[in-house]
Amino acid sequence: MALSFDKALGIHQHTLGIRAKRAEVLSSNIANADTPNYKAQDVDFSQALKQASSKQRGVGLGATHQNHFSLQSSLQSQTKYRVPDQPDTGDGNTVDMQQEQAAFMENALEYQMSLGFLESKFMGLKKAIRGE
Amino acid sequence: MSLFNIFEVSGSGMSAQSVRLNTTASNIANADAVSSSVDETYRARHPVFAAEMTKASASQAQNQPSSMKVAVKGIVESDKPLIKEFSPDHPMADTDGFIYKPNVNVMEEMADMISASRTYQMNTQVADVAKNLLQQTLRMGK
């Protein structure tokens, strides 16, 4: 039986990538806190995870020609605009700094958690390889 | 790796906020710069921010959400009317005895300054967290 990294690492390799993407989107929100007409976005985690792990199982459609459209490339499926708590802040900006900060920190901790899971998986693999 | 893009994004945020802080400093410093004509008088300056889509088409192909950097589109001078004051004793007074004061509202500028410095701090924190996450990722499996 060949050792498959995909199987050994499980879902955590995908969650890590999505959390990194989410960190990027949230950091964009924070950077654009004072930009007029900027609309805050967020990543739909469960949907992004579903997409990422469906590729692993081979259910996703592959592009066999350069002119094929990628079905999974639609931005809207992963990043969605936030529904603002206030009707309008005056300049069309929908960034709520407190909300974004909390979400960013939460996401950072979740990233660390996923990293911890991955690390323990690697430790398990190491032990298996060494035969300890 | 998306975490690397965070440095670009929060870096652009920091530079935008420092431009804002810079214009605020100019405005407050020149708040009392009296002159004798409308043209020579200092006018309040404010930067114009806009969201900048980075590599929108490229990232769309890779199924990644695009990061939004902040771009400083330019610095505009305020159109608010200058303060015209009758003060014949003033050494800068024109022939009719008027002096012109800049259209700077110091209270607004102070509030602007605090807002800019807080947002700058937030961006540094974001970059710091991203740095820590990346370092931990690099250490993984060691």
Side-chain angles (χ1 to χ4, degrees), chain B residues 113-132:
Chain B
M113 182 187 84
I114 292 165
S115 166
S117 73
R118 287 278 180 266
T119 315
Y120 190 97
Q121 279 180 359
M122 279 294 306
N123 279 307
T124 52
Q125 275 178 28
V126 166
D128 192 47
V129 169
K131 188 196 81 179
N132 286 333

Side-chain angles (χ1 to χ4, degrees), chain B residues 5 9-11 13 15 19 22 24 29 48 52-53 56 68 73 75 78 85 87 96 99 118-120 123 125 138:
Chain B
N5 294 341
V9 172
S10 54
S15 75
V19 167
N22 218 334
T24 305
V48 179
E52 187 181 8
M53 288 262 252
M68 302 275 240
K73 287 287 172 194
I75 294 167
S78 170
E85 202 176 284
S87 169
D96 298 327
I99 55 168
R118 287 278 180 266
T119 315
Y120 190 97
N123 279 307
Q125 275 178 28
L138 290 173

Side-chain angles (χ1 to χ4, degrees), chain A residues 4-54:
Chain A
S4 161
F5 273 107
D6 262 2
K7 277 180 194 157
L9 300 178
I11 199 92
H12 302 304
Q13 50 179 336
H14 302 300
T15 56
L16 204 64
I18 295 162
R19 303 234 188 262
K21 272 180 201 170
R22 182 155 188 246
E24 186 186 350
V25 172
L26 292 176
S27 77
S28 297
N29 289 347
I30 290 171
N32 283 289
D34 295 318
T35 308
N37 290 320
Y38 179 85
K39 309 291 181 211
Q41 298 176 43
D42 203 349
V43 173
D44 187 340
F45 182 81
S46 54
Q47 200 164 6
L49 188 62
K50 215 183 285 171
Q51 272 188 12
S53 50
S54 75

Side-chain angles (χ1 to χ4, degrees), chain A residues 97-117:
Chain A
M97 205 52 153
Q98 281 73 35
Q99 205 183 334
E100 301 300 336
Q101 187 179 20
F104 186 83
M105 291 302 158
E106 183 194 352
N107 186 59
L109 286 176
E110 284 166 350
Y111 183 93
Q112 282 178 328
M113 227 157 60
S114 294
L115 211 58
F117 284 131

Side-chain angles (χ1 to χ4, degrees), chain B residues 10-82:
Chain B
S10 54
S12 75
M14 278 189 260
S15 75
Q17 295 302 331
S18 71
V19 167
R20 190 165 158 219
L21 211 54
N22 218 334
T23 53
T24 305
S26 300
N27 292 344
I28 292 177
N30 287 291
D32 292 322
V34 177
S35 91
S36 49
S37 79
V38 179
D39 298 334
E40 287 170 22
T41 313
Y42 180 87
R43 286 165 190 274
R45 286 148 192 269
H46 297 287
V48 179
F49 291 169
E52 187 181 8
M53 288 262 252
T54 47
K55 294 170 278 173
S57 53
S59 60
Q60 200 165 11
Q62 289 161 15
N63 197 14
Q64 280 175 349
S66 51
S67 56
M68 302 275 240
K69 288 205 286 181
V70 193
V72 181
K73 287 287 172 194
I75 294 167
V76 292
E77 287 191 334
S78 170
D79 284 336
K80 236 168 47 176
L82 300 171

Side-chain angles (χ1 to χ4, degrees), chain A residues 7 19 22 33 40 59 64 69-70 85 91 94 104 122 129 131:
Chain A
K7 277 180 194 157
R19 303 234 188 262
R22 182 155 188 246
V59 184
T64 51
F69 291 111
S70 172
D85 294 333
D91 60 354
T94 62
F104 186 83
F122 273 121
I129 291 165

Side-chain angles (χ1 to χ4, degrees), chain A residues 111-112 115 119, chain B residues 1 3-4 7 127-142:
Chain A
Y111 183 93
Q112 282 178 328
L115 211 58
E119 189 143 3
Chain B
M1 190 89 184
L3 283 176
F4 280 109
F7 295 121
D128 192 47
V129 169
K131 188 196 81 179
N132 286 333
L133 292 182
L134 266 174
Q135 278 179 340
Q136 284 174 22
T137 313
L138 290 173
R139 274 202 299 271
M140 190 172 59
K142 277 187 184 170

